[in-house]
């Protein structure tokens, strides 16, 4: 098993990639949280609280919410 590198040992490209991934992850989290807050409960598949908690899972949560958590327009029943 390879030893994990510290921040100082990382190449500039690896540092930039890490920062970019962090920005994307944070952006997805903020977008999912805002959408959950503004969207009526009738337009969300399942409880809002569950999707709010799930959205804190790195990348998987927000992408899962945007893929499976939102109902399509006109699908309110």
């Amino acid at each position: 098993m390879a030893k994990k590198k510290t921040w100082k040992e990382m190449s500039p490209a690896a540092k930039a990639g890490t920062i970019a991934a962090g920005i994307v992850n944070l952006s997805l989290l903020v977008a999912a949280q805002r959408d959950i807050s503004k969207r009526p409960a009738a337009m969300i598949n399942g409880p809002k609280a569950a999707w709010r908690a799930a959205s804190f899972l790195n990348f998987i949560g927000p992408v899962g919410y945007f893929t499976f958590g939102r109902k399509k327009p006109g699908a309110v029943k």
Side-chain angles (χ1 to χ4, degrees), residues 7-70:
W7 185 257
K8 290 181 181 181
E9 296 171 332
M10 293 173 70
S11 69
K15 288 179 182 180
T18 302
I19 291 170
I23 290 170
V24 169
N25 188 34
L26 185 61
S27 299
L28 283 169
L29 171 64
V30 169
Q33 291 291 328
R34 289 189 71 192
D35 190 77
I36 292 167
S37 294
K38 292 183 178 189
R39 189 172 295 270
M43 292 296 296
I44 295 178
N45 291 319
K48 278 185 157 189
W51 282 112
R52 189 171 295 281
S55 71
F56 282 100
L57 298 174
N58 288 336
F59 293 106
I60 296 169
V63 171
Y65 168 70
F66 287 121
T67 304
F68 304 111
R70 301 186 311 169

